[in-house]
């Protein structure tokens, strides 16, 4: 009897001891619903950062990807008909669009946004002549939708550049077309809701790559960010209520940048900053171009890129955040479901790039500590996890 009492006491003490030990992290408590003892809800696991991905086998280049409704649209220049840059004359293949239910695809075969043989209203010749006869091409199809700003009527407007317009008479190279839907067709009547307009621009009066940046202000108009010829400085101009021209509000010589291309940007609502990226320096069909950045608290003022100090120091020493852009060339930035993505063309380095792939890398801005000359480690606030 005495031994039995001792054993019973030991068992009760052991049970009491284990009752006071908390469960190990991640252990199943048996209470269900993800709750721990005491009724406190367990912390949900932090969402993993999205992974980079490549879109291959799709003849769409210097591309933009956008979501309208439940569908993703990829717009780009086509090369499959035999276009060769700066070969005179060369066939111009036009701009295509593909659709998918997710950015990673699968994507539908591209279809034309407008027929390359139709008339270019600015020259009264065909777009085939404008974009192919001189070999200069036409590039950078960018689709925007008038929703939440301007006329707020849900209409679609396609922007693109035609370098030959500039070489013919010095006018800027940009064009705007009204479209029947996000998948086209685009252009003047008889296209439903269609039009052609040579945009009225006073700040972006140049000839070069461009991107579209959405405003971070509710109801604010988007803006065109454009490179200029020669020194290839960067300018930004607000779009009008129709989204087919400029208002004259803008900024010139953004961050003092020169000889860059492939611009794109986005508003970071957490850091309260506009973030701009670009190929630095400009380089046609390069298979590894450095990528730089600049930031501003306002779309039309305060733009700055990091300084670099020292005797004969290269100006881009700190503004470059990746030395080869994952082996390609940065083209623009697209924001999908709140996540900004850097779009990179994985060029082959040839005059015909039909087989080149497109790579997307998620962007996240984390402020860098310190300034140039403080003797501390420099970690750029952006990175490309290829």
């Amino acid at each position: 009897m005495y031994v039995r009492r001792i054993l019973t006491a030991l068992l009760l003490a052991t049970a009491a001891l284990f009752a006071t030990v908390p469960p190990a992290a991640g252990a199943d408590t048996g209470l269900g619903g993800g709750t721990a003892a005491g009724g406190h809800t367990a912390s949900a696991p932090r969402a993993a950062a999205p992974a980079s991905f490549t879109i291959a086998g799709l003849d769409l280049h210097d591309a933009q990807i956008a979501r309208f409704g439940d569908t993703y649209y990829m717009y780009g220049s086509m090369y499959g008909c035999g276009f060769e840059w700066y070969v005179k004359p060369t066939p111009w293949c036009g701009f295509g669009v593909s659709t998918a239910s997710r950015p990673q695809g699968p994507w539908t075969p591209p279809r034309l946004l407008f027929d390359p043989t139709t008339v270019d209203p600015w020259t009264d010749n065909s777009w085939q002549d404008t974009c192919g006869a001189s070999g200069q091409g036409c590039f950078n199809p960018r689709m925007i939708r008038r929703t939440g700003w301007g006329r707020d009527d849900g209409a679609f407007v396609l922007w693109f550049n035609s370098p030959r317009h500039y070489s013919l008479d010095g006018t800027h190279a940009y064009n705007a077309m009204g479209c029947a839907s996000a998948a086209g067709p685009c252009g003047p009547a008889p296209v439903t809701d269609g039009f052609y307009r040579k945009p009225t621009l006073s700040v972006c009066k140049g000839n070069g790559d461009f991107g579209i940046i959405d405003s971070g202000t509710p109801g604010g108009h988007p803006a065109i960010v454009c490179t200029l010829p020669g020194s290839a400085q960067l300018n930004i101009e607000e779009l009008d209520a129709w989204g087919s021209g400029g208002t004259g509000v803008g900024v010139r010589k953004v961050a003092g940048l020169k000889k860059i291309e492939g611009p794109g940007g986005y508003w970071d609502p957490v850091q309260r900053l506009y973030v701009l990226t670009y190929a630095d320096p400009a380089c046609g069909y390069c298979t590894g171009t450095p990528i730089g950045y600049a930031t501003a608290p306002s779309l039309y003022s305060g733009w700055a890129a990091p300084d670099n100090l020292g005797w004969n120091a290269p100006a881009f020493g700190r503004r470059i955040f990746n030395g080869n852009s994952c082996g390609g060339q940065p083209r623009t930035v697209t924001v999908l479901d709140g996540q900004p993505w850097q779009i990179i063309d994985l060029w082959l380095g040839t005059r015909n790039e039909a087989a080149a792939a497109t790579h997307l890398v998620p962007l996240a801005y984390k402020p860098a500590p310190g300034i140039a000359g403080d003797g501390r480690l420099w970690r750029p606030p952006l990175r490309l996890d290829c």
Side-chain angles (χ1 to χ4, degrees), residues 112-316:
L112 285 170
L113 289 170
F114 62 89
D115 187 340
T117 65
T118 55
V119 172
D120 169 3
W122 188 252
T123 65
D124 289 329
N125 293 317
S126 70
W127 285 109
Q128 182 62 246
D129 179 77
T130 295
C131 306
S134 66
Q136 291 174 275
C138 292
F139 303 100
N140 298 284
R142 305 286 181 250
M143 186 72 79
I144 61 174
R145 190 177 193 185
R146 293 194 303 247
T147 299
W149 58 273
R151 292 181 60 82
D152 196 17
D153 55 5
F156 292 93
V157 181
L158 173 71
W159 281 69
F160 61 95
N161 69 326
S162 51
R164 197 177 184 205
H165 284 184
Y166 183 84
S167 63
L168 281 173
D169 60 13
T171 188
H172 68 73
Y174 308 113
N175 306 274
M177 284 184 177
C179 304
S181 72
C186 304
V191 172
T192 303
D193 296 325
F195 62 83
Y196 170 81
R197 182 182 180 190
K198 193 64 174 173
T200 300
L201 296 168
S202 57
V203 180
C204 277
K205 297 187 67 173
N207 167 36
D209 283 348
F210 75 98
I212 303 291
I213 301 181
D214 289 332
S215 173
T217 302
H221 295 195
I224 175 175
V225 51
C226 59
T227 55
L228 271 64
S231 64
Q233 74 183 45
L234 202 62
N235 289 1
I236 300 176
E237 183 168 356
E238 181 186 48
L239 298 188
D240 61 20
W242 293 89
S244 58
T247 66
V249 174
V251 57
R252 293 175 171 83
K253 299 182 179 179
V254 170
L257 300 171
K258 295 180 180 179
K259 297 182 180 179
I260 56 94
E261 65 181 354
Y266 66 97
W267 167 251
D268 187 320
V270 175
Q271 304 299 333
R272 308 295 297 174
L273 282 175
Y274 288 94
V275 181
L276 180 72
T277 68
Y278 44 84
D280 190 357
C283 181
Y285 294 150
C286 286
T287 59
T289 308
I291 180 171
Y293 77 99
T295 61
S298 168
L299 193 49
Y300 305 112
S301 65
W303 284 99
D307 292 326
N308 186 29
L309 304 180
W311 287 270
N312 297 318
F316 52 79

Side-chain angles (χ1 to χ4, degrees), residues 35-56:
T35 58
H40 298 294
T41 302
S43 299
R46 183 173 296 177
S52 304
F53 63 94
T54 299
I55 300 172

